[in-house]
Amino acid sequence: MNTQPKWERIQGIVLDAVGTLIKPTPSVSEAYTEAAARQGVELAPELVRGRFHAAFRGDLVQGADGVLSTDEGVERRRWRAIVARVLPEAPDPDRAFDELWDHFGRPESWRAFPDSAPAVEAIREAGMRVCIGSNFDGRLHRVVAGLPELADVVEAIVVSSEVGYRKPHAAFFRAACERMGLPPDRVLSVGDDLENDVHGARRAGLSALFLSRRGEGVDDVPSVTDLTALTALRGAEA
Ligand SMILES: [Mg+2]
């Protein structure tokens, strides 16, 4: 099966946010470790990192509409559960959650990857539509608005808590396509999560490109190691 994106058909690109366009700075494990330290609990960052990855992968909280359904309240409960799993030693779990929720809602806690803005600009200059499609919640609007590299070039942000379903659910990708005014077979999904950004997108009828910033490829999945591949679109026929 030829899995390469059919570039000539693509008229819009949906870009994942975390790990694709932006990254937490300091790292997630540092932020959690510091939150614990503020309550007098010293934890090894490696331990925190391992706990976070296990908790983040587990679908701890679901919305009323079943698997992968969500809204702002569900996301808050989900993150409260994740913080509790990662920092069970914290004497004041509510404080830990509140501090970390606020921390990751601030643009100062994030950086755009150097290739992010050039890629978005190239997509737009090629005459394509572009949107951010993310499993972040409503806080993402403020984060992106506060990152100067992205604030001026991103025209639309689609977040799962506002759509009602998280990636990789097809309803999420349908909403992103509708937001761009394009049918799924004209849209390319690009992101660093194989299931959420690639397989889920394909099941919904989109093309997909796996962003593998560490360089590990996957059979039958077209991949790039950074977003500069998208800057090749600049000057391409719209
Ligand atoms: Mg991601």
Side-chain angles (χ1 to χ4, degrees), residues 46-202:
E46 280 303 317
L47 172 71
V48 171
R49 182 178 298 121
R51 286 178 178 176
F52 179 82
H53 284 301
F56 183 72
R57 282 288 155 195
D59 200 4
L60 301 177
V61 177
Q62 282 181 12
D65 294 323
V67 177
L68 296 172
S69 69
T70 190
D71 58 32
E72 286 292 318
V74 167
E75 289 303 309
R76 273 190 87 93
R77 292 198 294 280
R78 193 170 81 88
W79 282 106
R80 191 180 289 278
I82 290 171
V83 172
R85 280 236 183 146
V86 177
L87 304 179
E89 299 89 348
D92 187 345
D94 288 340
R95 177 187 166 194
F97 166 73
D98 288 342
E99 288 181 358
L100 287 163
W101 179 267
D102 290 345
H103 170 86
F104 289 107
R106 285 195 291 270
E108 301 78 30
S109 305
W110 297 88
R111 297 280 184 280
F113 288 101
D115 50 337
S116 296
V120 176
E121 287 167 15
I123 296 166
R124 296 185 61 178
E125 285 181 23
M128 296 185 185
R129 309 299 306 271
V130 60
C131 77
I132 295 180
S134 173
N135 277 349
F136 214 133
D137 47 71
R139 293 173 295 168
L140 184 62
H141 296 285
R142 181 179 164 217
V143 168
V144 171
L147 293 172
E149 307 94 319
L150 293 178
D152 294 337
V153 294
V154 169
E155 55 190 22
I157 300 173
V158 177
V159 288
S160 53
S161 58
E162 294 165 359
V163 165
Y165 287 92
R166 302 170 55 76
K167 292 187 277 187
H169 199 289
F172 177 89
F173 290 101
R174 283 197 293 272
C177 293
E178 279 172 23
R179 184 70 175 273
M180 288 190 284
L182 294 170
D185 65 351
R186 297 284 177 172
V187 176
L188 174 72
S189 167
V190 180
D192 69 313
D193 188 294
L194 201 52
E195 175 59 18
N196 286 348
D197 302 317
V198 176
H199 296 316
R202 285 179 170 178

Side-chain angles (χ1 to χ4, degrees), residues 33-45:
T33 303
E34 286 166 16
R38 284 192 292 273
Q39 297 193 32
V41 177
E42 299 298 328
L43 295 173

